[in-house]
Amino acid sequence: GVDRGMFRLARVVAVPTTRRSRGRVLHCVSPTVEAVDEVPSPPKAHVDGRRQFSDLPDGRETMERLVTDAQLQQFRDSIKDNLFLAPLTKGGNLPFRRLCVDFGCKVTVSEMVFARFALRRNPVELARMKKHSSEQFFGVQIATNQISEGVNAGLLAYQNGADFLDLNCGCPIHETWKRGLGAKLLKKPAKLERLVRGIADGIPIPLTVKIRLGAGSSEAPAYALAEAVENAGAAAVIIHGRTKEQRYTKSANWNLMGDIVNERSIPVIGNGDILTHYEHADRVRNSNVFGSMVGRGALIKPWIFREVLDRREWSPSAEERIGVYLTLTSYFKDHFRSDELGKKRYMEFMPWHFGFFCRYRALPESVFGELSLEHPLLQTRLDKITNEAIARGALAAPSRLDRLLQLELEETHIALSLALWDAEGDVGRAVELCDAMTKDGSLERWEEEERKLRSESRDPDAGIGDA
């Protein structure tokens, strides 16, 4: 209910002041009293999230929250029971989000945007805020540790069509940590609460906060962090069920997320280790989370959203998967254009995506459902368990085209990406170009090179990228 055009972004948020030189001033109350009058400059914005006069974008010392209760309820109705596409560094680009929407994703989130650089009109950061017309409910995730930056970045996201803003408090990357952003914000819940409250008060769209279970190795801080986010008035808390130090080495703790759901009234969105529709159903049912989020699982199989909606697996053939990847290629062409510069930009992304696509394996519930209850399949050596299933006749052996798509070599991913670009949107041509690699000796050469790399690894069962 707030007009989008009524907000104006300020480049400098701090209120300007005029200093007067020290001097004698005669007051009318008592002509005999001499006084010294000097106007102090306002305090600088505090990086730990403490609200100060200079933190407010319009100079007011108090601010009434812009998001109404009706807006908040509408937001929560829109996200309830939905599977979000997580904010993915590099992977959360607009073409890939568009592909996930094709498979039924209703809530998408941008790549992490550095608020400070976006406000300086950095073209890369501004591009990450762009929403595609097909995205039904779109959030922009920002990284900041200052209220003023968060508010102004939130207004910018709103003007770009975002339906909600998400504050990143979970990124474990050192570059983010050393700037005092991401998971670094988890170290002091009280300061995090002030930061979240300040941003939530100053933007016209709901604010969500994505956290991990803690900044160190202990998961105990998760309870205080969720309480801080709730007290600050966030619309929802998104919990990645691991600590910063755990990264992806341990399974996501959905039991702890369930405990937080029982303790707190704020909607909890659970995130971590979702690769199949039956794992998703089990985690959501046992934790009773308000909604869920998928990251790596979607990068491996973007059709996971369809599987969750249909409550059954879809095991596409190699030819069908090439069709999916070709669609993503066409979306990159739409986004970057199909000239040489567009091709160069495409090649910065598509081979990277194949680094995840190659991990796909058919995982029918009848074969792997019981195993998934013991350990998340995403945290399992998929090659090992699928090869065992093939050996006992529970799964069919992969075709030569399957074997090509399963290779982890960067050289293979570059060749596949170029083939899709050259196919010009023709699925039959794309399959023909990929199939040619299985007949000209490339497949056997790449498989031999991969075997060699695995044999040199400390863990032969691990993927090349995991060594």
Side-chain angles (χ1 to χ4, degrees):
V2 184
D3 180 50
R4 200 177 288 272
M6 69 181 289
F7 295 96
R8 301 177 64 186
L9 294 176
R11 289 189 179 180
V12 180
V13 176
V15 180
T17 62
T18 303
R19 291 182 177 273
R20 289 191 288 173
S21 59
R22 187 182 301 272
R24 296 164 57 89
V25 178
L26 187 65
H27 289 267
C28 60
V29 175
S30 173
T32 62
V33 177
E34 294 182 346
V36 175
D37 184 15
E38 180 176 303
V39 179
S41 61
K44 294 181 179 180
H46 202 290
V47 297
D48 66 5
R50 199 169 299 159
R51 162 161 288 199
Q52 297 209 8
F53 182 60
S54 60
D55 285 332
L56 302 178
D58 59 357
R60 291 179 291 172
E61 290 187 348
T62 60
M63 178 180 288
E64 181 179 352
R65 178 159 293 192
L66 300 175
V67 175
T68 65
D69 290 341
Q71 284 177 289
L72 195 60
Q73 188 57 51
Q74 182 181 17
F75 166 78
R76 288 172 174 172
D77 290 343
S78 298
I79 66 171
K80 183 169 176 55
D81 298 328
N82 269 303
L83 177 61
F84 291 49
L85 174 63
L88 300 164
T89 301
K90 193 166 187 175
N93 53 75
L94 184 147
F96 183 74
R97 299 198 313 266
R98 188 177 169 188
L99 180 66
C100 292
V101 169
D102 287 349
F103 284 109
C105 180
K106 297 178 181 178
V107 185
T108 51
V109 187
S110 74
E111 294 183 66
M112 183 182 73
V113 175
F114 285 102
R116 182 167 303 174
F117 300 139
L119 294 173
R120 292 175 181 172
R121 298 299 190 271
N122 179 287
V124 173
E125 302 300 330
L126 292 178
R128 288 172 178 157
M129 287 186 168
K130 186 177 180 181
K131 173 184 179 181
H132 189 263
S133 59
S134 66
E135 294 180 272
Q136 300 177 41
F137 209 74
F138 174 63
V140 168
Q141 186 188 71
I142 63 167
T144 186
N145 56 13
Q146 295 187 23
I147 292 173
S148 57
E149 281 184 357
V151 169
N152 282 331
L155 297 178
L156 184 58
Y158 177 67
Q159 292 179 341
N160 276 275
D163 298 289
F164 65 99
L165 188 73
D166 181 64
L167 177 63
N168 183 308
C169 300
C171 181
I173 299 172
H174 178 68
E175 182 68 24
T176 305
W177 175 273
K178 75 178 184 180
R179 294 182 185 205
L181 307 173
K184 191 67 173 284
L185 298 173
L186 303 178
K187 290 178 69 69
K188 297 182 179 180
K191 291 183 178 181
L192 175 61
E193 182 176 335
R194 288 193 292 269
L195 176 64
V196 172
R197 179 178 290 110
I199 297 175
D201 283 352
I203 60 175
I205 51 178
L207 175 71
T208 61
V209 181
K210 190 169 191 287
I211 66 172
R212 283 180 175 252
L213 301 182
S217 58
S218 172
E219 299 176 348
Y223 298 96
L225 291 166
E227 181 180 10
V229 171
E230 178 179 0
N231 291 342
V237 59
I238 304 169
I239 304 178
H240 182 153
R242 281 178 275 257
T243 69
K244 183 255 184 185
E245 292 300 321
Q246 289 170 351
R247 299 293 288 265
Y248 293 104
T249 59
K250 296 187 72 173
S251 303
N253 191 340
W254 283 83
N255 291 330
L256 191 150
M257 286 186 262
D259 292 341
I260 292 174
V261 169
N262 293 330
E263 286 189 4
R264 310 250 57 92
S265 60
I266 187 173
V268 174
I269 310 301
N271 174 217
D273 297 341
I274 295 175
L275 183 60
T276 64
H277 73 94
Y278 48 89
E279 288 177 295
H280 173 266
D282 176 75
R283 307 303 187 264
V284 170
R285 180 176 57 252
N286 291 329
S287 63
N288 199 31
V289 290
F290 195 82
S292 52
M293 177 177 278
V294 61
R296 290 178 298 160
L299 288 172
I300 294 170
K301 42 187 278 192
W303 51 90
I304 189 172
F305 300 98
R306 174 194 285 185
E307 292 186 337
V308 168
L309 289 171
D310 294 346
R311 299 181 182 180
R312 60 186 177 87
E313 61 262 14
W314 180 50
S315 301
S317 65
E319 291 79 5
E320 288 173 319
R321 298 201 304 281
I322 289 173
V324 171
Y325 308 152
L326 184 64
T327 297
L328 178 58
T329 299
S330 69
Y331 289 164
F332 273 118
K333 286 186 175 183
D334 289 346
H335 191 57
F336 293 135
R337 299 185 181 179
S338 54
D339 55 15
E340 282 304 309
L341 180 58
K343 183 178 181 180
K344 181 179 178 181
R345 295 296 312 280
Y346 161 81
M347 291 301 293
E348 293 173 2
F349 286 87
M350 197 64 182
W352 183 91
H353 276 288
F354 268 109
F356 286 92
F357 293 154
C358 70
R359 304 181 195 182
Y360 170 75
R361 302 292 185 275
L363 300 169
E365 184 175 7
S366 58
V367 179
F368 300 103
E370 188 173 337
L371 177 62
S372 72
L373 298 177
E374 301 172 6
H375 197 69
L377 297 180
L378 196 53
Q379 298 292 100
T380 306
R381 305 293 194 211
L382 293 180
D383 265 342
K384 184 177 181 180
I385 63 173
T386 53
N387 287 339
E388 290 172 353
I390 291 169
R392 64 176 186 268
L395 286 180
S399 66
R400 291 179 65 82
L401 201 52
D402 279 313
R403 286 160 51 192
L404 176 71
L405 296 179
Q406 290 174 5
L407 287 168
E408 298 182 26
L409 294 174
E410 184 178 2
E411 181 184 349
T412 309
H413 300 163
I414 291 172
L416 289 169
S417 300
L418 290 172
L420 293 177
W421 181 273
D422 293 339
E424 297 291 346
D426 185 329
V427 177
R429 177 61 176 159
V431 171
E432 180 183 330
L433 290 171
C434 293
D435 193 50
M437 300 179 207
T438 70
K439 299 174 181 177
D440 64 3
S442 296
L443 175 62
E444 285 75 17
R445 176 172 62 83
W446 287 330
E447 286 182 329
E448 179 58 32
E449 186 175 344
E450 193 164 291
R451 277 192 292 269
K452 182 180 178 181
L453 289 171
R454 287 180 186 274
S455 67
E456 294 172 354
S457 169
R458 288 173 296 178
D459 184 357
D461 289 328
I464 293 174
D466 299 326

